[in-house]
Amino acid sequence: MASTMLNMTFLLFTSQACCQSLRFTCFLLSSFSFSVQAKSKKTLARPGMKNIVLVEGVRTPFLMSGTTLIHRPLGLLHKTDLPRDAVDYIIYGTVIQEVKTSNIAREAALGAGFSDKIPAHTVTMACISSNQAMTSAAGLIAAGQCDAVVAGGVEFMSDVPIRHSRKMRKTMLSLNKAKTLGQRLSLIGSIRMAHLAPELPAVAEFSTAETMGHSADRLAAAFGVSRVEQDEFALRSHTLAKKAQDAGLLQDIVSFNVPGRDIVSKDNGIRPTSMEQMGKLKAAFVKPHGTVTAANSSFLTDGASAVLIMSEEKAVAMGFKPKAYLRDFVYVSQDPKDQLLLGPTYSTPKVLERAGLSLNDIDVFEFHEAFAGQIMANLKAMDSDWFGQTYMGRKSKVGTPPMEKFNLWGGSLSLGHPFGATGCRLVTTVAHRLQKEGGQYGLVAACAAGGQGHAMVIEAYPQ
């Protein structure tokens, strides 16, 4: 077991429902090595508190919905050096749940061959669902309940559950209870064509009925973010992602074989283009004069991610070399109409204050890119004394991350955004960048539906 390499088992499987559509579930773990980096600043370790470490993180390639995974039953199970009974708990995040596998964490754990004695539960918190899975894992370890927890997330947007209309559902339930042929015929006769119209899932706020893209367009307008600024940022994301992909830096990806096709080993949404080409696209949400387009928005994505989180004491005793410490984290919430996507602005200063750090102490920034307009609006809000004073109760602005430290291996705009899985990608990327770049502290921040947000400070593990 003593080794500088952790072998993690990754399972990706799908099942056939009665309607023959596929259900993408997922899970867990594969193998990667470690690099060396130096430390120079103070550590955030606290006397009397357990050190919680990220031992390893993996993910499937993030794939544009409707491409490689659609209508392909997949299965991959790699045996591992990690004993199946060494995991105490499994937590997974997802957003659009399949009714038949509502606790996807449990079903995936059983499918992966983990002991049926290991508890598992599923969480949902929109785009920060796997963030919640990770911090829940950290909480269990900090409380002394567990020493090793697998956390992760999954989303399969190529085959989302589609419901019958409310009237049709009511009729079908009544049919199930009908006792006589006459009652059944009467209920069948009451069905109208309008009842057959399906209810499609929508990326919209329940409280406002507004799509997230529409909110992003309004947010960009409120902060004066131009179409050119958004396109430039999106182009930056794709260009940096392509550079990282070509350089082999996206080492958290686990390749898998799709029956009848080639081995899938890369994210397939990375598409650097030109400002001229991007400028030709029409507004996607606020038509005709909106600034949010398909090119400067994250795309619907299929994918899964997982991390192994342990107490440092247990990890070292088992011979593992962790990648990073998981330190302070916060969750925030604000108005879901006008401030839906400003989670990073609110969460960043709070988590830095908890950790006793400043923006200047952070070596690596990884912010979730829902829309280019959302990222640029957050950066402008963070750079505004007026916003800090008026809405955040601060004496001055939060300050902005330097772009030479910001999302240097691409982001959700280019890599993709499987809702429930992105958080683990962000944290694992921070750990890898700290090792590669020689930094000590990293910061993850993300917005989420409902006007919520998350931020976490990560500290590099001494190599």
Side-chain angles (χ1 to χ4, degrees), residues 271-294:
R271 299 180 178 181
T273 181
S274 66
M275 288 292 291
E276 181 182 6
Q277 288 298 112
M278 295 173 74
K280 294 178 181 179
L281 296 184
K282 295 181 179 180
F285 300 99
V286 179
K287 302 176 181 181
H289 303 301
T291 57
V292 174
T293 71

Side-chain angles (χ1 to χ4, degrees), residues 25-93:
T25 59
C26 78
F27 215 59
L28 304 194
L29 303 153
S30 205
S31 63
F32 300 106
S33 59
F34 301 85
S35 59
V36 178
Q37 112 298 286
K39 295 178 63 122
S40 59
K41 304 170 187 173
K42 66 176 182 179
T43 179
L44 293 182
R46 294 173 181 171
M49 293 185 64
K50 285 187 177 182
N51 282 326
I52 298 170
V53 295
L54 170 71
V55 177
E56 185 59 285
V58 295
R59 65 181 177 92
T60 67
F62 285 178
L63 305 175
M64 299 179 70
S65 295
T67 57
T68 306
L69 292 183
I70 188 71
H71 300 313
R72 294 285 176 176
L74 306 175
L76 184 65
L77 178 62
H78 292 310
K79 291 185 178 179
T80 174
D81 289 340
L82 178 70
R84 300 302 171 88
D85 58 359
V87 175
D88 301 312
Y89 207 101
I90 295 170
I91 311 172
Y92 239 54

Side-chain angles (χ1 to χ4, degrees), residues 225-237:
V225 183
S226 69
R227 166 74 180 270
V228 171
E229 286 179 297
Q230 293 175 59
D231 287 351
E232 285 176 344
F233 185 89
L235 181 57
R236 173 188 187 270
S237 182

Side-chain angles (χ1 to χ4, degrees), residues 158-171:
S158 289
D159 188 20
V160 296
I162 298 174
R163 303 198 306 177
H164 285 289
S165 67
R166 183 179 297 275
K167 289 183 178 179
M168 189 63 183
R169 296 199 305 270
K170 184 177 180 180
T171 301

